[in-house]
Structure formats: structure tokens, C-alpha cells
Amino acid sequence: MTSCSAPGKIILFGEHAVVFGKPALALAIDLRIWSRVTRSNQYSVNGHPMKKRHHAYVSAALDEAWNGPPINIDTESEIPSGSGLGSSAAVTVSCVGAMLSEKGRFEPESVAKKSFEVENLVQGRASPIDTSTSTHGHGVLVSPDRSDGFLWRIDKGSTSWNIHHCEVPAMKFVVGYTGIHAATGPLVSKVKKLVDSDAKGVSLINRIGEIVLDGVVCLKNGDKQRLGALMLENHEILNELGVGHPALEKIVNACKGISHGAKLTGAGGGGSMIALTDDTERVSEAIREAGGIPIVVRVGCEGARTESSGVRKR
Ligand code: PMV
């Protein structure tokens, strides 16, 4: 029996543009998924026979990281699925981590690379930001160029992503979950269509890349005011790329003026937004009044780790 847990994440800057090789910055959060691998007489998930369609990520993780006798995989999650908080990456990373550690081969770079392959396969197109952040934890900068804090490189086709460690100062975010489940794959395809067909799409993606690099400097300096302004700008660009949603807009607007800044996080089309704030109670209340579900998160948390007991341990 081997257990592994992995955190969810918020993308502070750069979602969607990162799929095209632009930089992005994500922070691991204090919500996790636990996966436990036990030998069994058939491949099963939470005691039910595994079905490729039903258990897409777990089944792809098996193909990528296991290649062994039948096992049962038990999972337990604190991350609302489809919320834009990286639940599919965390389930993938925790499964791959548990499988590799059951084989005595748990090693972060290999967990991150295999988990990226799984997400890419299941979603049809992905960047490694979610899976590398869930693996490494803390803060993660993904960029086309290699710089300080380099951890590993992931390649797909003609795109290379360099994964870097980022130190995260103590900051509070409130997530506003719309309750609307939005699948990442179709939203990524929608943006690809726009970027492939329209020069404006390309310039929007390029501007996001610049915001990310500016944001990395502000994060280092703990400049919350400038971070907030960049979040709002990044949000507007994501709207222009067509991944906004009226429910998200209502919550982001409710947080303007009472937080340093707010934006959608993750794929969009529903899912969640984040607000950077020193007053989590006031912002949570505003999110609730605007129809969202507030979740206060701590950022910069530990990445994937093997767990010595059971499925879940807090
Ligand atoms: O939906 P999420 O939270 O997993 O975020 C996906 C981030 C994208 O940039 C939209 C896709 C990707 O694979 O990077």
C-alpha cells in the first residue's frame, strides 16, 4: 500500500497563453487530493471496476506510470472538481506519485513529466503548469527561457517549457467558485482557434506573457498593489480571448475596490476567480452576495508527497 497527496493550484497570471509557450505563474494552495494504491485482483477506482471513459485521468495515469499487476486506487479530494483549482492535475499527480512510489521510483521530475503526458492525452492539449505546480508546490514559473530557480524542462512538439521554483511571500487570496463546471479542453481549443485565425489573438497572448514577467518581479517584492492591477489587466484580456462568463464577471466586479485585484483563474468559462486581499472576511462576503462560493486559500504550500498512513491526513 502506498499513498501520495498533491495540492491544487491557482494560476496567478498566464493561463491559456502558457499553452502557446508563453510564461505563466501558479501558486500551490492548501487544498489537496490523496491517492492510495493497493494490490487487488482487478483494476479498480474507489472499489469500482475501472472504466477508461469514467476514470479518464486515473486510467491514463496507469498506462503512463504503472505497467504492473492489478491495483485499486482510492482517491479523496478537498478540491471542487471543474472549479479551475487544478483538481484534474492533483488527481493525476497524486496517482502517478503513488504508483511510482509503490515501484520505489518516486522522483518529482519524473512525476511531473508523466503527469503532464496524462493531462495532455486526456485534454487533447495542455501545458505543464498545473501538473508541475501540483508536483513541486510553492510557486512555479513556467517560461520559454531558463532562469534562476530552474527545476526541469518539459517538451511537446515544438514547444519547450522551463519550470522554475518561485518563492511565495505570505499573501491571502479568496477564491470565488461560480459552481459552474467548465471542462478545460474545449476552452483551450476555443482560444487556439482565435489565436490561429486572428492577429489580435496573438497580440493578446503576447501581452499576457509580459504581464507574467512583470508579475514575477512584483511577487518577489511583495508589491500587492501592482500585482492587483496586473491581475485586473490579465482578467480583461482573458475576457477578450472569450473565456469569461457572466457569473465570473459579477464576482470579479464585486471584488473590485475592496481587494488589491481580482481575475478569473484557470480555464474560465465558469470555474473560479481569485481576489488578492488583506481582508478575507469582507471579500468572502462580497463573493457570496454576488452568487459565488468563497474559499480562503493559503498559497505557497508543499507539493506532492508520499503519505505514510491511509488516504487522507491533515
Ligand atoms: O482549468 P485549469 O485550472 O486546469 O487551468 C488550465 C490552464 C490552461 O492554461 C487553460 C490550460 C493549460 O493546460 O495550461
Side-chain angles (χ1 to χ4, degrees):
M1 191 271 286
T2 312
S3 225
C4 177
S5 73
K9 61 89 200 42
I10 53 174
I11 297 183
L12 187 51
F13 301 112
E15 51 273 270
H16 286 291
V18 68
V19 177
F20 300 86
K22 299 292 168 197
L25 178 60
L27 313 175
I29 59 173
D30 58 345
L31 298 174
R32 302 182 79 82
I33 293 185
W34 285 256
S35 291
R36 182 180 59 190
V37 163
T38 40
R39 303 291 169 129
S40 172
N41 53 8
Q42 64 171 343
Y43 293 102
S44 51
V45 181
N46 295 323
H48 302 288
M50 176 149 38
K51 295 203 174 82
K52 262 196 185 334
R53 234 170 45 126
H54 206 72
H55 307 115
Y57 290 96
V58 179
S59 138
L62 258 184
D63 292 343
E64 188 66 34
W66 182 241
N67 233 338
I71 48 175
N72 175 62
I73 298 125
D74 285 307
T75 62
E76 197 174 331
S77 175
E78 294 178 330
I79 310 171
S81 107
S83 62
L85 297 178
S87 63
S88 55
V91 80
T92 303
V93 167
S94 59
C95 278
V96 167
M99 289 168 195
L100 291 185
S101 86
E102 177 75 8
K103 296 200 288 190
R105 289 195 224 139
F106 180 94
E107 199 267 311
E109 181 169 346
S110 155
V111 172
K113 288 186 167 169
K114 288 182 186 301
S115 299
F116 164 67
E117 290 300 331
V118 169
E119 265 216 334
N120 192 59
L121 184 87
V122 176
Q123 286 174 196
R125 198 177 161 86
S127 82
I129 187 141
D130 286 14
T131 39
S132 279
T133 305
S134 185
T135 303
H136 177 67
H138 310 279
V140 166
L141 168 69
V142 176
S143 75
D145 307 310
R146 189 187 285 212
S147 54
D148 289 353
F150 174 78
L151 294 167
W152 52 73
R153 196 184 87 192
I154 294 185
D155 302 301
K156 194 81 200 167
S158 56
T159 310
S160 285
W161 293 276
N162 291 289
I163 315 296
H164 303 83
H165 165 85
C166 270
E167 225 28 66
V168 183
M171 283 189 308
K172 288 178 191 155
F173 286 89
V174 186
V175 172
Y177 177 36
T178 59
I180 299 165
H181 180 108
T184 302
L187 289 155
V188 169
S189 304
K190 184 176 179 185
V191 174
K192 178 161 168 48
K193 238 180 240 165
L194 183 81
V195 171
D196 285 350
S197 65
D198 187 349
K200 171 108 187 289
V202 177
S203 78
L204 292 173
I205 293 287
N206 287 338
R207 177 60 196 143
I208 291 179
E210 293 167 1
I211 289 175
V212 175
L213 297 181
D214 202 348
V216 170
V217 177
C218 296
L219 186 72
K220 241 180 226 157
N221 301 336
D223 184 348
K224 293 185 208 166
Q225 222 169 338
R226 175 87 185 125
L227 276 175
L230 291 171
M231 286 168 73
L232 289 166
E233 186 184 352
N234 194 161
H235 178 75
E236 289 313 322
I237 300 176
L238 288 164
N239 273 339
E240 286 189 63
L241 286 172
V243 297
H245 188 281
L248 273 172
E249 216 42 38
K250 197 168 166 201
I251 307 174
V252 168
N253 284 336
C255 292
K256 282 182 189 165
I258 59 163
S259 63
H260 296 290
K263 67 180 272 292
L264 75 81
T265 186
S272 296
M273 54 70 71
I274 48 171
L276 174 59
T277 180
D278 299 319
D279 188 347
T280 54
E281 263 178 43
R282 186 169 177 209
V283 168
S284 296
E285 193 47 41
I287 290 173
R288 209 173 284 118
E289 272 172 22
I293 301 159
I295 310 168
V296 178
V297 293
R298 216 163 44 80
V299 291
C301 300
E302 198 187 342
R305 60 173 186 238
T306 52
E307 302 277 5
S308 50
S309 67
V311 173
R312 182 163 167 179
K313 203 175 100 220
R314 293 244 67 184

